[in-house]
Amino acid sequence: MVHPGPLTRKLIRDLWRIKGQAAAIGAVIAVGVMMLVMMTGLVASLGETRRAYYERYRLADVFAPVARAPQAVAAGLRQLPGVAAIQTRVAGSALIDLDGTALPIQARALSLPDYRSPALNTVYLTDGRMFDGERAGEVVILRSFALAHGLRPGDRISATMNGFRRELTVVGFAQSPEFLYSTAPGELVPDDARFAVLWMSRTALAAAYDMQGAFNEVLFALARGAEPEAVIAAADRLLDRYGATGAYALSNLESDRFISEEIGGLRRSAGSVPPVFLAVAAFLLYIVISRMVQSEREEIGLMKAFGYTNMEVGGHYFRMILAIAAGGALAGCLLGIAVGRWMVDLYLIYYKFPFLVFRLDPASFLVGFGVSILAASAGGLLVLRRVFALTPAVAMRAAQPPDYSGSGRFGAALDRVLDQPTRMVLRRLTRQPLRMGGAVLGVAAGLSVSVSMASILNSFDAMQALTFDVIDRSDLNVSFTQPLEMHSIHELKRLRGVIEVEPVRTVPAILRNGRERYHGAIFGLTAQPRLNRAVDADEQPIDMRPGGVFLSVGLARTLDISAGEMLSVDVREGRRPRLDLPVIAVAESLLGSPAYMEMEGLNRALKEPLRVSGAYLRVDAAQAEKLYQTLKDMPMVAGVSVKSDSLAALQRVMDQGAGAMRYVMALIAAVITFGVIYNAARVAQAERARDLASLRVLGFTSGEVGFVLLGELAAVTLLALPLGAALGYGLTFAIAAGFSTDIYQIRPVFSPESYGQAMGVVLAAALISGWLVKRDIDRADMVTALKTRE
């Protein structure tokens, strides 16, 4: 049996002696590695599953919607340079009427070949069977919608297509890579119960939408190395005469945009968040090992006198650093796997993958261990220089007492006011300003993380309040099947239960600025909107001035454009004119990337006066159910969106995926805060163990002795509060930018509550740390402490 050497036994004893500090530092390292492993694993899982899903079910690279094109055009499209395969199909909007639902449910109807698998955009059948091409009334529906309403294969549903009501039989449920993230038209928040996808045979759907021998969408698969932009330009030229509304690449598909933003956000966070925790851990290790080397000068001298080399003695302390770092990294890897698997379950609710297995990225383990060791070594190597510099003769002598003659005195007046324990606390602060400053900085770093995460939690709530209370003050939004005359608004005003109506004109368009482009829409608002408003950074409504366009902050950033510049607008409906419009201002918007215009000015630019495409309504809640039934029976209504439903759906989204990550980071902020404060208290206790024992011998009570030590911790904590609040202010902007995407923006919100919550975490950590240290002081052996030579 091989027995451990003397240095190994000493290492085990030392680790046991500082087990509390080692565990706290290891916890800080663990959360940093956990974040790295979890985030890189999620990036790998989402990215690889998306790639495999897209490939297996042949998701198109380019989508080209068109008003109506004859099937014969498909031969020319197939010959375009860079095209590997095409698939034409019929697509249309529909409304589904289910028993027990007050409002019609918006749906998208898509065709599949009658008797074979499509060349592109196949579906994954999860339940039941595919439709029979000879039975026009059979349909396969999106699985998430079916589960939300408790449907089963064999059930019948009623759907309005092209103005005609049809009875359909559900024969199966399916999922599709085209609808990983599924939202109703005009909405950004997914709600499984309020949006459906129907797949029918090409013959049946063509008959429903008058598309026999024609199509209104073509899908392209590109050859290896082909440029999507070249194929898009060629397809638009060929389909222009048939009412092309603008081809777009897969990256502009709404579903792919959302998941790409999610993966990008996780990748950015994986590169920026873990280093913060590892840097704090390196700082804590430096303080602990520095204190240990200082207190073990005599032991170091004895080891060298007995023949141990500098490398052997230094290696002993370096192994201690490596043990703490490796233990923290191992715990972080295991936690990363556990939290990553939990997050995967949330993503399966958020994104409609047929499966999603947390995939470990081996590189994240290597990077996690490597960076942990390097960060810990960086702090430890500075300390080891002192070990190498000590000769046995110098080390075995007591360290030269520090000279505090230049630290000054408090003065007789202050001496009379303050008792002796308080003066001892103040002397400690003034005589070792660098060490105290390091402790203040460490606590402030922990507080800054808590402040930033508390502010981010409030920012998510503020984003919802701004979007649904300040910007949108309506109760519901009604969209029409096509732009209608203004008298349609008067019909809505006459409905029982309607209090106020505000028209809106929505025009699909491609917005361009140089090489930048964005597939979206321009929203025409009344001159002084009341129910759906654009607001500035101060949350004040912006009056819609004619003659130009107002862009949201996110859209202006995407297009790289600012106020005063000209924006090119390719309108994709009606006569499809190209407009050059000045950007009047950039408006605040935290949800989506809208562009606004004064409605009459927009209609004049389109040469379509007095046209509206929908309206925002404020209604009497007592008569809402009857109003919903009336709207359901109006043929001009394409869909109705109730604001309360949208708000509830957004809240669910914010509690899943990236939104759930903020709760994980809030917990981690509490861990790092406690680790920093606990280590500061333990280091202070170790440094003053002999002094505190001396005070007990001189007659000081245990309470007075505890006050000397804990007063120092309290002073450090109180000094750290304003510094940590200032650091947290800046860190909040960085974290908010990391959470924000082109889809939604998180605006930092600072409130007394967020600062109070963060400071409460710090004070709670200080109280717990103080209690643990005070307990050890009361249990300390005074004789042993007095024999210790500093």
Side-chain angles (χ1 to χ4, degrees), residues 152-171:
R152 295 176 298 178
D155 288 347
R156 295 183 64 80
I157 61 175
S158 176
T160 301
M161 299 179 174
N162 201 25
F164 294 93
R165 186 179 295 270
R166 300 174 183 272
E167 295 298 322
L168 304 174
T169 301
V170 177
V171 296

Side-chain angles (χ1 to χ4, degrees), residues 9 79 235 456:
R9 291 196 296 272
Q79 300 302 317
I456 290 297

Side-chain angles (χ1 to χ4, degrees), residues 10 12-20 292 295-296:
K10 182 180 185 303
I12 296 172
R13 288 196 304 269
D14 288 343
L15 285 174
W16 179 253
R17 179 161 51 88
I18 63 167
K19 55 184 179 295
M292 182 173 291
S295 65
E296 294 184 355

Side-chain angles (χ1 to χ4, degrees), residues 48-223:
E48 181 60 26
T49 304
R50 178 180 65 169
R51 183 198 61 78
Y53 195 22
Y54 284 6
E55 287 184 0
R56 182 175 300 178
Y57 294 92
R58 302 188 294 276
L59 185 63
D61 297 308
V62 172
F63 298 74
V66 65
R68 190 179 194 277
Q71 188 61 37
V73 177
L77 294 170
R78 192 172 289 107
Q79 300 302 317
L80 292 177
V83 173
I86 71 165
Q87 175 70 55
T88 62
R89 68 181 183 182
V90 175
S93 60
L95 292 176
I96 296 177
D97 190 4
L98 294 177
D99 293 337
T101 60
L103 288 169
I105 299 167
Q106 297 189 68
R108 181 166 170 79
L110 298 173
S111 71
L112 293 175
D114 293 357
Y115 303 107
R116 59 178 175 82
S117 178
L120 300 173
N121 287 31
T122 60
V123 299
Y124 168 59
L125 188 69
T126 62
D127 300 270
R129 62 174 176 83
M130 289 299 294
F131 51 75
D132 188 332
E134 295 183 355
R135 298 177 181 176
E138 292 188 346
V139 63
V140 173
I141 65 174
L142 189 65
R143 179 176 182 268
S144 56
F145 171 79
L147 295 180
H149 289 280
L151 297 176
R152 295 176 298 178
D155 288 347
R156 295 183 64 80
I157 61 175
S158 176
T160 301
M161 299 179 174
N162 201 25
F164 294 93
R165 186 179 295 270
R166 300 174 183 272
E167 295 298 322
L168 304 174
T169 301
V170 177
V171 296
F173 305 158
Q175 293 179 249
S176 167
E178 188 177 353
F179 298 99
L180 282 177
Y181 183 95
S182 53
T183 61
E187 297 190 18
L188 291 172
V189 181
D191 188 341
D192 294 340
R194 297 193 299 126
F195 178 69
V197 180
L198 311 176
W199 287 277
M200 296 178 63
S201 71
R202 174 69 175 266
T203 300
L205 204 60
Y209 288 95
D210 297 327
M211 287 287 173
Q212 294 92 339
F215 62 88
N216 60 3
E217 188 171 22
V218 59
L219 312 174
F220 294 89
L222 303 186

Side-chain angles (χ1 to χ4, degrees), residues 65-67 185-186 243-248 479-483 504-512 517-524 555 567-579 581 593-597 602-603 606 608 611-614:
V66 65
T245 58
Y248 55 91
S479 58
F480 300 148
T481 55
Q482 60 185 357
V504 64
R505 176 76 192 270
T506 304
V507 179
I510 300 175
L511 311 180
R512 305 176 189 270
R517 56 186 284 168
Y518 180 82
H519 284 257
I522 294 181
F523 297 92
L555 182 55
L567 177 69
S568 296
V569 179
D570 292 341
V571 177
R572 311 316 294 177
E573 73 173 17
R575 299 180 301 104
R576 294 179 295 142
R578 169 171 288 189
L579 309 175
L581 302 171
S593 299
Y596 304 105
M597 280 189 71
L602 175 60
N603 283 334
L606 297 174
E608 297 176 356
R611 292 278 179 173
V612 295
S613 52

